[in-house]
């Protein structure tokens, strides 16, 4: 079993829709949770960062962490065609020597 | 861009040959990482470095070695390339400063094909 599970998609939504992307994990030591966005043939770029449980909002993006359920989510409001990309969750804990563990990524397509 | 340059960007090599990929940073960040990305597997850590001459293995280190003789350069060597090492390789850096150490900046990637 992988430490981090993520549905690969693809997830296809119409422009303006609310998108929900999710990851589950098994290691209860994870404390830092991140979402990266990766456009085709580019390197991943950090989108959102959350420490421990709770919500964090940045513009159209909201990251949620539920440590009791070992479940994290990224919500995108008013989705745009430019949001079409692969979204990777990543996480680490203080006992992980700062190694990021990534999900396999969810491919999102926002249709105009 | 976070000041990370990977070279070469594309390479085709033959089975059994050694290959070295280079990652160069201008940010003076302490931590450097090599990942490979394959369909269905996401990003998997090969090796990482937490300082000059200080390196450690990741989850898929077999068949790879690394060296870091200067802060700015982190080299990944495939000792004897195999077709299973055909992949996209990403270098990443992070600051190593408290909580913000978890924020990694990635290079543009190197597409390696082993024939």
């Amino acid at each position: 079993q992988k430490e981090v599970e993520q549905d690969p998609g693809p997830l296809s939504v119409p422009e303006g829709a609310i998108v929900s992307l999710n990851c589950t994990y098994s290691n209860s030591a994870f404390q830092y949770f991140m979402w990266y966005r990766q456009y085709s043939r580019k390197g991943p770029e950090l989108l959102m960062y959350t420490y421990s449980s709770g919500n964090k909002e940045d513009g159209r993006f909201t990251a949620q962490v539920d440590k009791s359920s070992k479940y994290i989510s990224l919500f995108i409001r008013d989705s745009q065609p430019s949001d079409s990309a692969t979204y990777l969750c990543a996480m680490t804990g203080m006992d992980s020597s700062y190694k990021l563990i990534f999900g396999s990524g969810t491919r999102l397509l926002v249709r105009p | 861009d976070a000041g990370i340059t990977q070279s070469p960007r594309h390479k085709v090599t033959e089975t059994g040959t050694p290959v070295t990929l280079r990652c160069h940073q201008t940010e003076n960040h302490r931590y450097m990482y090599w990942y490979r990305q394959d369909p269905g597997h996401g990003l998997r850590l090969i090796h990482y470095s937490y300082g000059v001459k200080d390196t450690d293995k990741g989850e898929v280190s077999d068949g790879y070695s690394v060296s870091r003789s200067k802060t700015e350069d982190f080299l990944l060597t495939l000792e004897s390339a195999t077709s299973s090492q055909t992949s996209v390789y990403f270098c990443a850096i992070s600051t190593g400063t408290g909580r913000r150490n978890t924020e990694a900046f990635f290079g543009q990637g190197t597409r390696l094909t082993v024939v």
Side-chain angles (χ1 to χ4, degrees):
Chain A
Q1 183 189 4
K2 293 181 182 179
E3 277 192 285
V4 179
E5 298 281 356
Q6 186 175 8
D7 189 324
L11 179 61
S12 181
V13 301
E15 184 175 354
I18 297 175
V19 175
S20 173
L21 303 166
N22 311 292
C23 288
T24 59
Y25 63 94
S26 57
N27 189 341
S28 57
F30 288 150
Q31 299 178 51
Y32 303 95
F33 304 92
M34 290 136 279
W35 286 94
Y36 283 80
R37 178 175 61 194
Q38 184 176 24
Y39 291 113
S40 180
R41 296 186 174 266
K42 299 288 188 183
E45 57 178 334
L46 183 66
L47 196 59
M48 296 285 287
Y49 167 95
T50 310
Y51 170 67
S52 194
S53 284
N55 293 1
K56 184 173 184 179
E57 189 173 320
D58 184 0
R60 296 185 295 111
F61 299 90
T62 300
Q64 285 186 352
V65 175
D66 181 350
K67 289 189 72 179
S68 63
S69 302
K70 297 190 179 68
Y71 188 87
I72 69 170
S73 300
L74 176 70
F75 297 96
I76 307 174
R77 291 183 298 280
D78 188 24
S79 56
Q80 303 295 309
S82 59
D83 294 327
S84 297
T86 296
Y87 290 80
L88 301 112
C89 62
M91 48 198 79
T92 189
M94 293 306 292
D95 65 342
S96 303
S97 302
Y98 304 113
K99 292 182 287 188
L100 294 178
I101 308 299
F102 283 84
S104 55
T106 299
R107 193 157 64 92
L108 172 66
L109 175 63
V110 181
R111 308 185 305 271
Chain B
D1 289 345
I4 308 170
T5 304
Q6 290 186 232
S7 59
R9 293 292 313 278
H10 299 87
K11 186 170 182 66
V12 179
T13 192
E14 293 186 349
T15 299
T17 61
V19 177
T20 295
L21 308 183
R22 181 181 183 236
C23 178
H24 178 79
Q25 62 149 328
T26 57
E27 305 297 322
N28 201 36
H29 284 359
R30 178 182 175 190
Y31 288 80
M32 298 185 76
Y33 310 82
W34 277 108
Y35 288 88
R36 59 177 290 174
Q37 188 172 35
D38 305 288
H41 291 279
L43 286 159
R44 291 182 291 174
L45 183 65
I46 305 170
H47 282 279
Y48 68 104
S49 169
Y50 45 96
V52 173
K53 291 186 170 48
D54 291 323
T55 64
D56 204 352
K57 295 178 180 180
E59 61 181 308
V60 289
S61 59
D62 288 349
Y64 301 94
S65 62
V66 291
S67 66
R68 191 169 178 199
S69 58
K70 298 184 289 185
T71 299
E72 58 266 35
D73 289 324
F74 192 32
L75 303 180
L76 175 71
T77 297
L78 287 65
E79 293 142 7
S80 177
T82 67
S83 58
S84 64
Q85 293 175 312
T86 292
S87 187
V88 180
Y89 291 85
F90 285 101
C91 173
I93 64 175
S94 64
T95 63
T97 303
R99 228 183 258 186
R100 299 304 289 176
N101 180 68
T102 55
E103 180 175 356
F105 298 95
F106 284 81
Q108 293 297 300
T110 295
R111 289 187 172 272
L112 177 68
T113 302
V114 183
V115 297

